[in-house]
Amino acid sequence: MLLASAVVVWEWLNEHGRWRPYSPAVSHHIEAAVRAGPRAGGSVVLGQVDRRLAPYIIDLHSMNQFRQDTGTLRPVRRNYYDPASAPGKGVVWEWENDHGSWTPYDMDVGITIQHAFEKQRPWIDLSPIGFGYVIDFGTMGQINRQTQRQRRVRRRLDLVYPLVTGAASRATSWPAAPGAAAAAAAAGPRAPPCSCPQCVLVRSVKAAAAPPAPAAHRSAAPPAAVKGPPPPAGPGATPPDSTGVSQGPGKPAPSSQAIRRQASCVVSGVAPAGCPASPPGANGKAGRAALATLNRTSLQRLALAQSRVLIASGVPTVPVKNLSGSSPVNPALAGITGILMSAAGLPVCLTRPPKLVLHPPPVSKSEIKSIPGVSNTSRKTTKKQAKKGKTPEEVLKKYLQKVRHPPDEDCTICMERLTAPSGYKGPQPTVKPDLVGKLSRCSHVYHVYCLVAMYNNGNKDGSLQCPTCKTIYGVKTGTQPPGKMEYHVIPHSLPGHPDCRTIRIIYSIPPGIQGPEHPNPGKSFSARGFPRHCYLPDSEKGRKVLKLLLVAWDRRLIFAIGTSSTTGESDTVIWNEVHHKTEFGSNLTGHGYPDANYLDNVLAELAAQGISEDSAAQEKD
């Protein structure tokens, strides 16, 4: 029970187990329906406030988000935060994803970032809350602690989330307050129902799911088909059908109209004109009984038959997908959704999505061949590579030139002027804080004090990467845990590469204990999804990529230990900025073929890790 003011943030649970916030505008829309109580009907159509969310409906009774075109259900919750925190001020923190668009942080993470920003701290380490990133407010960048990769972040102002005061329960029941029903009764008659197609669908779903009324109430109430006189029809307009939706200019109804009315009889139990009559009071019961006797296949066949008629008559269609899944729930929901939408007078087309093909057809041992020009068929990594250089100062001395007269500009590591001492406040290096150096190849200038601190916080492998331009000095190595990499050719072709066979790479890494170079030394780490199968075309460029991946494997740069961006799990093995193709015969997730630019992209990613054809030659020597 909350006894003080709080801001309400409505959130939904994604497939990775993380609660993602709705926008302030959507939260206001949902909260308004909650405060309206039973008058709102218990359903919230999100497309009324955000067109991008048009397929989604929230059912406040079950606290679920329902997607109409796929039948997917996701839990939602009503969460409370301090009014003085980011959502109470309308502050949203976002990071730039690989597609160049902006993604908001989880609410807890955004609040943590905003708190550090208000304290005027130069940066904030998110590791204590399970994210291996540092936010640098000077450069407005997000830095991966393991790879040092940077992304842009931004702070923007939006609407303030809804504010509640007084006693408010955190329970997810609906109506939100015990007196909501009484308040609704005292408020007088309900407002006219919304006539948009989505609201019509919601009412149709509720009519189909509602239990039959007791016999005494049925006898006292007028029949469901009896309504008040409809408003006068305009010129050329036909009367509304059983759903209350006007059918447009008057003309004979197509044959699909009869099918929609028949579906309406089955689902809702209401008998509009053209439906076979049934005894009074038995319509709802018979309709539900008829629906209950239909299995998933029957539902799909009925909906597909309706779709064919709609397509043949030239009616625009709405796709309802997810019919080929193995689960009996989502396909059935998709089929029922199609029937209900059709019964409500909405055009529906049920389609089957492309099938995910992760692995090639079975291959016998005799069909697996070694790769021409590549020795062996597997590599192992066991121990951490030896450190190069005795001290950080000696390592950096090879890459730096002293600057006697520093320029009057900021050091991009500590954000202090180069003419002033370093602003780094961590463990004290043995160099003077006002000493300034210039990197020999890229000519970027920093406090030597800051560079030593950055080196100490890294892998300490004798290499240095310029934080501004990412130029690598020395040989960069990573923190990949021990494992095995296998590679060979299989006699199948990838989509987009019909003229060559396929290189299959199999990575195997077992769970274990983190070493001193990892985020939490001595703590166990997990290894999910291994062995991981990846694919390259067996072409000249594909073999070139493989040779460079072998160099990256030997340098422990393929994987790292950190927080998974897909599941949110910490202390687990994750990919390390070099993308792999894990789909063999499809590209539904973006990690498959065809992809005309993939080989060039992965070569660029390897080059960013300091791995090129020269590196492969050096490793061979």
Side-chain angles (χ1 to χ4, degrees), residues 446-522:
Y446 305 96
H447 290 116
V448 178
Y449 196 84
C450 295
L451 288 173
V452 171
M454 186 181 75
Y455 181 86
N456 283 329
N457 288 329
N459 199 26
K460 302 177 185 176
D461 58 358
S463 70
L464 181 71
Q465 188 167 15
C466 175
T468 300
C469 66
K470 306 306 178 185
T471 299
I472 296 174
Y473 295 81
V475 177
K476 180 181 178 181
T477 61
T479 61
Q480 176 180 291
K484 183 179 181 180
M485 175 183 179
E486 302 174 77
Y487 40 93
H488 48 250
V489 174
I490 58 176
H492 298 291
S493 298
L494 292 165
H497 299 274
D499 54 344
C500 63
R501 299 176 299 173
T502 297
I503 298 172
R504 179 168 62 183
I505 305 171
I506 303 175
Y507 294 110
S508 300
I509 296 180
I513 304 298
Q514 299 183 50
E517 73 273 26
H518 294 136
N520 297 296

Side-chain angles (χ1 to χ4, degrees), residues 30-319:
I30 303 171
E31 190 66 14
V34 171
R35 294 176 181 177
R39 287 183 299 166
S43 295
V44 186
V45 180
L46 301 188
Q48 293 177 343
V49 68
D50 188 338
R51 288 185 298 174
R52 296 171 298 178
L53 303 181
Y56 298 97
I57 295 172
I58 288 181
D59 179 35
L60 296 174
H61 295 280
S62 63
M63 291 297 282
N64 279 313
Q65 169 191 278
F66 173 63
R67 178 163 180 161
Q68 302 171 66
D69 55 352
T70 64
T72 303
L73 290 172
R74 297 190 186 278
V76 299
R77 71 179 184 183
R78 184 181 189 230
N79 214 356
Y80 298 90
Y81 294 94
D82 188 341
S85 63
K89 298 178 179 179
V91 175
V92 179
W93 283 90
E94 300 172 320
W95 56 276
E96 187 178 29
N97 58 36
D98 291 336
H99 303 291
S101 56
W102 294 92
T103 303
Y105 286 97
D106 293 354
M107 190 56 67
D108 290 337
V109 178
I111 289 174
T112 301
I113 297 174
Q114 175 64 16
H115 180 72
F117 181 82
E118 292 174 349
K119 295 291 185 181
Q120 297 185 347
R121 296 175 183 170
W123 51 270
I124 175 68
D125 186 354
L126 300 178
S127 299
I129 59 174
F131 289 85
Y133 299 95
V134 173
I135 304 299
D136 186 335
F137 295 118
T139 61
M140 290 299 283
Q142 170 190 278
I143 305 169
N144 187 313
R145 288 175 56 87
Q146 291 296 313
T147 66
Q148 298 300 307
R149 180 181 178 182
Q150 293 193 24
R151 295 180 184 270
R152 291 194 300 164
V153 300
R154 73 177 183 181
R155 175 182 181 269
R156 66 176 180 85
L157 294 179
D158 204 329
L159 294 174
V160 176
Y161 278 89
L163 181 69
V164 295
T165 56
S169 173
R170 297 183 75 101
T172 58
S173 60
W174 186 88
R190 298 184 181 181
C194 178
S195 60
C196 75
Q198 288 178 315
C199 290
V200 170
L201 172 61
V202 172
R203 291 196 293 275
S204 299
V205 173
K206 290 187 175 297
H217 292 284
R218 285 203 302 267
S219 62
V226 177
K227 299 181 179 180
T238 59
D241 66 2
S242 60
T243 63
V245 180
S246 179
Q247 300 300 315
K251 58 181 178 180
S255 59
S256 61
Q257 185 71 16
I259 294 178
R260 288 200 294 270
R261 288 178 177 175
Q262 291 172 9
S264 178
C265 296
V266 173
V267 175
S268 64
V270 179
C275 289
S278 58
N283 285 340
K285 186 175 182 179
R288 282 184 292 275
L291 184 60
T293 61
L294 295 179
N295 57 23
R296 180 177 63 178
T297 304
S298 299
L299 290 172
Q300 292 178 6
R301 287 176 179 171
L302 176 58
L304 285 168
Q306 296 171 17
S307 299
R308 293 190 187 103
V309 174
L310 288 171
I311 294 171
S313 63
V315 178
T317 58
V318 177

